[in-house]
Amino acid sequence: MSVEITTLANQVCESIVKDIIDGTIGQGQKLNEPELAKTYGISRGPLREAISRLEAMRLITRVPNVGARVVQLSYEELLDIYQIRESLEGLAARLAAQRMNSSETQDLRQLLTSHRKHIQKTQGQSYFQQEGDVDFHYRIIQGSKNPRLINMLAGDLYQLVRMYRYQFSVSSNRPEQALKEHDQICSAIEEGDAELAEWLMKRHINNARNNIMRRMHTQSNPHDGDTL
Amino acid sequence: MSVEITTLANQVCESIVKDIIDGTIGQGQKLNEPELAKTYGISRGPLREAISRLEAMRLITRVPNVGARVVQLSYEELLDIYQIRESLEGLAARLAAQRMNSSETQDLRQLLTSHRKHIQKTQGQSYFQQEGDVDFHYRIIQGSKNPRLINMLAGDLYQLVRMYRYQFSVSSNRPEQALKEHDQICSAIEEGDAELAEWLMKRHINNARNNIMRRMHTQSNPHDGDTL
DNA sequence: TGATCTAATATTGTCGACAATATAGGGGAA
DNA sequence: TTCCCCTATATTGTCGACAATATTAGATCA
């Protein structure tokens, strides 16, 4: 029973992250310090600390003496991120295949089973699949047992991915296919086939990336006039 | 002529980074805020901001209500980092092969020529090669033209690598070999052979990693009693 | 009318002081 | 002697105020 020891700056940071991800604080919007401090009921000290962390996870950009702005999302950057994910999660899958023990792989298999049930029950509804997808990838990332890799992927990068999903409505429109790919990856990990696990994971993420690119060409950039 | 506009927190942050990298502030050492503030002649406000940035680049770890400590370097973590570098710089090399223009590749070739001269002149002295190595990799990273990738590699990760090099004296003891590998990578990029560039880069970094592993087994962990 | 300079305002950067928490040291009991 | 508790100290977290810089609005001049 770990006592949730935390600080004001921490709590407010999490709040702001949530507000940025779900769009309460919009893209490109200026972060006014006195205003925000009032909103969250704290002083500017811890608020600035929180802002520093937001900067660290690249959710905002900061200019000295001018202030902080929420990042502007673009399809190009999203594609850049998926490219990085492909490399890094490929590595994670390889390591997971080498390092996950049998109880961990069993849990992973069980997770997939529950996902399958969800999909069957909801007739392929994608919302749950989204969180499930995150969860699946999250477990494999943990399974890599490379602390810095875990930090990079699960820490900062995933906040971004979540933000894009919220605001661009980038949800997998083919959860069955995604599940099948997850299944293949899981099997490779169970068998300890590191090379295959890496290759499958990279292809899996590349598929998602291509999916985004298709969407990017068919539909015009959403939320693109919101710059204000 | 860009005017170097900066803030106190920024300057002090850079100073501390330098002090951590060269060991002035040792591994695992506690960062005492009042003391540091006095040392650098600023108040605790901007100092804490600087500390936040150090935390962001993972040079220190922080515990609420307890304080900040410089990270403890270990060979295991160094290997973890090289694993990440292998993936990420492999990607960077692939993108560089696709995206660098002819003037950029010419500059890269020129850099290698100057490195060769240096090595011949200094009879294979490794110090210059170290910085030169950083420089070579740095250019390829830039050549990827993926801003987030550049940030990850050139921003945070390289500070760590530099710190290890300083404190573990991890210098390539075979600069000629390294130069040859650089040469191969450069050729692949010139020819736009993305696959080959990636493969060569990954092998290059893996060689360096194996080099570290060998060293790790032959000599005992240096600086290991310094924990205090 | 349009541009440029200037003054007023707003916002960020910095500081010192106070509150809350953790650490260290001494004294007492088993 | 050893362990535990309690107190004194040190350190981190938070706050409000002031200084420095940027932004805005208005006035003056071409």
Side-chain angles (χ1 to χ4, degrees):
Chain A
M1 56 192 87
S2 67
V3 202
E4 284 294 337
I5 184 166
T6 182
T7 169
L8 256 185
N10 264 321
Q11 297 167 19
V12 171
C13 177
E14 282 182 35
S15 295
I16 300 181
V17 166
K18 207 164 54 183
D19 288 348
I20 289 180
I21 286 180
D22 69 17
T24 304
I25 306 177
Q27 297 175 36
Q29 187 175 325
K30 174 88 185 293
L31 296 186
N32 185 304
E33 291 185 9
E35 190 182 317
L36 278 179
K38 205 172 165 187
T39 303
Y40 294 100
I42 59 174
S43 121
R44 275 182 58 221
L47 178 75
R48 282 172 67 85
E49 195 118 341
I51 289 180
S52 285
R53 302 202 180 181
L54 297 176
E55 190 187 13
M57 44 179 100
R58 322 275 185 210
L59 284 176
I60 63 164
T61 57
R62 224 173 169 185
V63 179
N65 290 319
V66 173
R69 284 187 177 282
V70 179
V71 288
Q72 275 285 4
L73 304 182
S74 71
Y75 273 113
E76 285 70 27
E77 277 190 50
L78 183 57
L79 295 179
D80 283 352
I81 290 173
Y82 267 71
Q83 226 163 18
I84 294 171
R85 275 190 64 198
E86 184 183 321
S87 271
L88 251 29
E89 291 207 34
L91 170 60
R94 189 173 88 219
L95 293 176
Q98 294 167 344
R99 298 178 179 177
M100 278 176 87
N101 61 40
S102 59
S103 106
E104 288 167 332
T105 57
Q106 277 173 20
D107 286 354
L108 188 65
R109 176 58 69 188
Q110 207 166 0
L111 180 71
L112 287 184
T113 312
S114 83
H115 283 178
R116 176 168 295 114
K117 283 182 187 152
H118 247 127
I119 290 180
Q120 288 171 346
K121 204 184 299 181
T122 62
Q123 297 278 51
Q125 188 138 18
S126 56
Y127 179 75
F128 291 110
Q129 178 57 23
Q130 261 190 51
E131 290 303 315
D133 183 66
V134 167
D135 202 8
F136 176 77
H137 287 262
Y138 185 80
R139 296 239 189 148
I140 289 179
I141 290 165
Q142 299 297 328
S144 76
K145 295 174 183 175
N146 178 329
R148 189 163 294 264
L149 182 61
I150 293 172
N151 233 316
M152 287 175 116
L153 282 172
D156 302 349
L157 224 45
Y158 259 65
Q159 303 290 359
L160 257 291
V161 172
R162 282 182 57 213
M163 174 155 81
Y164 274 102
R165 284 188 170 163
Y166 254 91
Q167 305 204 15
F168 280 9
S169 306
V170 181
S171 61
S172 167
N173 50 7
R174 26 160 222 144
E176 319 81 14
Q177 177 63 22
L179 181 62
K180 185 181 169 189
E181 291 171 5
H182 286 180
D183 200 83
Q184 290 175 316
I185 294 168
C186 185
S187 297
I189 290 176
E190 284 168 339
E191 292 167 23
D193 191 337
E195 298 254 345
L196 181 59
E198 175 170 18
W199 190 84
L200 286 170
M201 178 62 90
K202 289 177 86 166
R203 191 176 69 166
H204 173 55
I205 294 180
N206 194 256
N207 284 343
R209 187 169 184 270
N210 287 333
N211 211 25
I212 295 168
M213 283 186 75
R214 254 194 307 278
R215 201 173 289 227
M216 170 181 164
H217 286 125
T218 55
Q219 96 191 46
S220 63
N221 262 11
H223 310 278
D224 219 29
D226 299 349
T227 317
L228 96 86
Chain B
M1 57 189 91
S2 67
V3 202
E4 283 295 336
I5 184 165
T6 183
T7 168
L8 256 184
N10 263 321
Q11 297 166 20
V12 170
C13 177
E14 282 182 35
S15 295
I16 300 181
V17 166
K18 209 164 52 184
D19 287 349
I20 288 180
I21 287 180
D22 69 19
T24 304
I25 305 177
Q27 296 176 38
Q29 186 175 328
K30 175 89 186 292
L31 296 186
N32 186 306
E33 292 184 7
E35 190 182 317
L36 277 179
K38 205 173 166 188
T39 303
Y40 294 99
I42 59 174
S43 123
R44 276 182 57 219
L47 178 75
R48 282 171 68 85
E49 196 119 342
I51 288 180
S52 285
R53 301 200 182 184
L54 296 177
E55 190 187 12
M57 45 178 99
R58 322 274 184 212
L59 284 177
I60 64 164
T61 57
R62 224 174 170 186
V63 179
N65 290 319
V66 173
R69 283 187 178 283
V70 179
V71 289
Q72 275 285 5
L73 304 182
S74 71
Y75 272 114
E76 284 71 27
E77 277 190 50
L78 183 58
L79 294 179
D80 284 352
I81 290 172
Y82 267 71
Q83 225 162 19
I84 295 171
R85 276 189 64 198
E86 183 182 321
S87 271
L88 250 30
E89 291 207 35
L91 170 60
R94 189 172 87 220
L95 294 176
Q98 293 167 345
R99 299 177 178 177
M100 278 175 88
N101 61 39
S102 58
S103 106
E104 289 168 331
T105 56
Q106 276 172 22
D107 286 354
L108 188 65
R109 175 59 69 189
Q110 207 165 359
L111 179 70
L112 286 185
T113 312
S114 83
H115 283 178
R116 175 169 295 111
K117 281 182 190 152
H118 247 126
I119 290 179
Q120 287 171 346
K121 205 184 299 180
T122 62
Q123 297 279 49
Q125 187 137 21
S126 56
Y127 179 74
F128 291 111
Q129 176 59 23
Q130 261 190 52
E131 289 303 316
D133 183 66
V134 167
D135 202 7
F136 176 76
H137 287 261
Y138 185 81
R139 296 238 189 148
I140 289 180
I141 290 166
Q142 299 296 328
S144 76
K145 295 173 183 174
N146 178 329
R148 189 163 294 265
L149 182 61
I150 293 172
N151 232 316
M152 286 175 118
L153 282 172
D156 301 348
L157 223 45
Y158 259 63
Q159 303 290 359
L160 257 291
V161 172
R162 281 181 59 212
M163 173 154 83
Y164 274 102
R165 284 188 169 164
Y166 253 91
Q167 305 205 12
F168 281 9
S169 307
V170 181
S171 61
S172 167
N173 50 5
R174 25 159 223 144
E176 321 80 15
Q177 177 63 23
L179 182 62
K180 185 181 168 189
E181 291 171 5
H182 286 179
D183 199 84
Q184 291 175 316
I185 294 169
C186 185
S187 297
I189 290 177
E190 283 168 339
E191 292 168 23
D193 191 337
E195 298 254 346
L196 180 61
E198 174 169 17
W199 189 84
L200 285 170
M201 179 62 91
K202 288 176 87 166
R203 192 177 67 166
H204 173 56
I205 293 180
N206 194 255
N207 284 343
R209 187 169 184 270
N210 287 334
N211 211 25
I212 295 168
M213 282 185 75
R214 252 193 309 277
R215 202 173 288 227
M216 170 180 162
H217 285 126
T218 55
Q219 94 191 48
S220 63
N221 260 11
H223 311 281
D224 219 30
D226 299 347
T227 317
L228 96 88

